Amino acid sequence: MESSQDNEEIIERIAALDIGKAELVCCVRIPGQGPGGRRRQEVSTYSTMTRSLLTMADRLRELGVTRVVMESTSDYWKPVFYLLEAAGVDAWLVNAKDVKHLPGRPKTDRLDAVWLCKVAERQMIRPSFVPPAPIRTRYRVDLIAARTAERSRVEKLLEDAQIKLSVVASDIFGTSGREMMAALIAGQRDPKILAQMARSRLRAKITQLEDAFVGRFSEHHGFLLTRMLARIDAITADIAEVNQRIEQQIGPFGDVARRLDEIPGVGPATAHVIIAEVGVDMSRFPTPAHLASWARFAPGVKESAGKSKGSGSTGHGNSYLARVLGEAAVAAGKTDTFLGERYRRIARRRGNRRAIVAVGRSILTIVWHLLRDPATHFNDIGSGFYDTRVNPERRKRNHIRQLEALGYTVTLAPAA
C-alpha cells in the first residue's frame, strides 16, 4: 500500500461568495456549539457597493472566518477580491469549471454559494493565481489588440477601394505607406505620383505600386480612412504613455526584468508581461513542471482502460501569457542559440505549432529558475548542444537504413 499525502482536514471557519453585478450571496460555515459535531451556516445577501462590502468584511472577521472563496465571474470578482485582500482576509479565487453544480438539483444564487462553501471547506478545490497588486496590468495588451484591429479595418477599406497597397508593401503603416494614404485622402489619384512616394527598399517596386494604385478610391473612402488613421495615432500615443507608466511601475522589479531579458526571444516588453502574469514569487510553483502545467504548456493526460485518449493537447490557459511566450518562441527560433536550434529541430519533424509550445515550455523553465534564485543568470549552451549529444553509431545506422530504404547497397569505408 502506498501512503497518501491528502489532507482530509475540514476548514473550520470558511465563507463562499456567489458574486453578481449588483449583489452577492455570502455563505459562512463555522463549527456548531453542540457535541454532535454539526456545523452552523449563515447565508446573507450583500450589495456590491463598497460600504456593503466593508460591512461584510467586518462580519467575516467577527465570525473568525479564515478563508473566503469566490468564483471568477466575469470581472465582478475583482473589487470584492481586492477589498477583502486589503482587509487582510485570505481570499481565494477559483475556476468555475472546478466547481460544477450537480445535475438534478435546483440552481439559485443561494444554493450555489452553499455548494461552493461545502466544497471549499473540504479542500476539494485549488486557488487560481492572482498576481500581486503592484504588477496587475493588462491594458497595454488590450491597446495593442485595438490598434491591430483598426489597422485591419484600414486594409479592408483599401481592398474595398481596389487599392492593393498591402500586396506590394509588407507594412502599409510605414513612412511610405502613411504618406501614400495621406495623399489619397488629400485627393491625389495619379498612380505614378503615388508610387513615387516610395522610400528605401520599396522604390524597387515602383511598377507594382503603380498597378496597385489603379482603383476606385472615393471621397467617402477618404473620410473613413481619415477617421481610422486618427484612431490608430491616438491609440499609439496611449500605448506610449502606458509604456512610460509601466517603466515607472516596474522599477522595483527592474533587476528581474533585466535577467529575463537575457533569454533569447524575450525582450523588455515580454519580460514585463511575464512578471505581471506569473509574478516573482516562485514558492507557489514547487517545480518548473508545475509552472508549465499551470500555464497550459504541458500536454494533457487523459487515460481510460489503460489507453491514452485524445490528442494530448495542452488545453487553454492564460491567453496573455501564452501570447507573449508564443511570440518569444518564434523570435528565439530565428537565433543561433540552443532555443533556436530546439525550435528548428522540432518544427522540421512535428510542425511550427508544436515547436512553439515546446520552446515556450523551455522558456518557462528558464523563467522559473531565474525567478527562484535572484543570483541566477541565463547562460546559453549554444546551438551545437544537440550535436554533442548524438551517438555517432546511431546516426550512421540511421543513414544506412534510409539509403537502403531507397534501394541502395551501402558499403562503408573510412575516409583517408
Side-chain angles (χ1 to χ4, degrees), residues 17-21 23-24 48-50 53 56 68-87 89 91-94 129-133 135-139 142 276-277 318-320:
L17 309 178
D18 186 83
I19 304 175
K21 183 176 183 179
E23 63 182 19
L24 61 84
T48 54
M49 300 298 180
T50 302
L53 294 179
M56 180 188 69
V68 180
V69 180
M70 65 193 77
E71 293 181 359
S72 53
T73 307
S74 183
D75 285 334
Y76 303 144
W77 63 269
K78 291 184 178 181
V80 181
F81 185 94
Y82 297 157
L83 187 145
L84 292 175
E85 183 183 48
V89 178
W92 275 28
L93 180 71
V94 299
F129 172 66
V130 180
I135 54 178
R136 291 170 184 161
T137 174
R138 287 176 171 173
Y139 189 49
D142 296 334
E277 298 299 333
N318 186 321
S319 60
Y320 292 87

Side-chain angles (χ1 to χ4, degrees), residues 348-365:
R348 284 194 298 267
R349 294 183 291 109
R350 308 197 67 185
N352 292 329
R353 296 180 63 181
R354 292 185 181 272
I356 289 174
V357 175
V359 175
R361 180 191 173 99
S362 298
I363 293 175
L364 276 179
T365 300

Side-chain angles (χ1 to χ4, degrees), residues 68-253:
V68 180
V69 180
M70 65 193 77
E71 293 181 359
S72 53
T73 307
S74 183
D75 285 334
Y76 303 144
W77 63 269
K78 291 184 178 181
V80 181
F81 185 94
Y82 297 157
L83 187 145
L84 292 175
E85 183 183 48
V89 178
D90 181 20
W92 275 28
L93 180 71
V94 299
N95 193 330
K97 293 182 180 179
D98 296 341
V99 194
K100 293 184 178 179
H101 190 80
L102 291 178
R105 294 180 56 189
K107 187 181 186 307
T108 65
D109 293 342
R110 180 186 178 91
L111 293 178
D112 286 349
V114 173
W115 172 251
L116 178 59
C117 198
K118 289 182 177 180
V119 173
E121 72 179 359
R122 290 166 173 79
Q123 304 191 54
M124 298 174 64
I125 52 179
R126 56 186 178 181
S128 300
F129 172 66
V130 180
I135 54 178
R136 291 170 184 161
T137 174
R138 287 176 171 173
Y139 189 49
R140 176 172 60 183
V141 178
D142 296 334
L143 283 176
I144 293 174
R147 183 176 63 179
T148 301
E150 201 67 32
R151 286 179 171 180
S152 296
R153 295 188 187 99
V154 169
E155 186 171 349
K156 291 179 180 180
L157 179 70
L158 293 178
E159 287 290 332
D160 182 77
Q162 195 59 24
I163 302 298
K164 296 290 187 176
L165 179 59
S166 60
V167 176
V168 182
S170 58
D171 180 16
I172 64 174
F173 296 97
T175 303
S176 301
R178 286 300 297 261
E179 287 189 5
M180 294 171 183
M181 287 188 284
L184 285 171
I185 294 172
Q188 182 58 253
R189 300 292 183 268
D190 191 334
K192 293 185 178 180
I193 296 177
L194 292 170
Q196 288 300 324
M197 296 180 182
R199 297 185 181 184
S200 187
R201 291 180 295 177
L202 196 58
R203 293 199 62 82
K205 302 178 180 180
I206 295 295
T207 304
Q208 295 96 312
L209 286 171
E210 292 177 358
D211 293 336
F213 282 113
V214 177
R216 52 180 192 86
F217 193 90
S218 65
E219 184 272 337
H220 182 64
H221 287 121
F223 170 79
L224 295 177
L225 184 57
T226 302
R227 303 276 69 78
M228 293 177 183
L229 293 179
R231 180 61 182 153
I232 291 173
D233 293 339
I235 296 176
T236 301
D238 290 341
I239 292 174
E241 292 185 10
V242 171
N243 284 336
Q244 293 179 0
R245 181 64 176 176
I246 291 176
E247 289 292 340
Q248 298 173 3
Q249 295 294 105
I250 207 69
F253 311 100

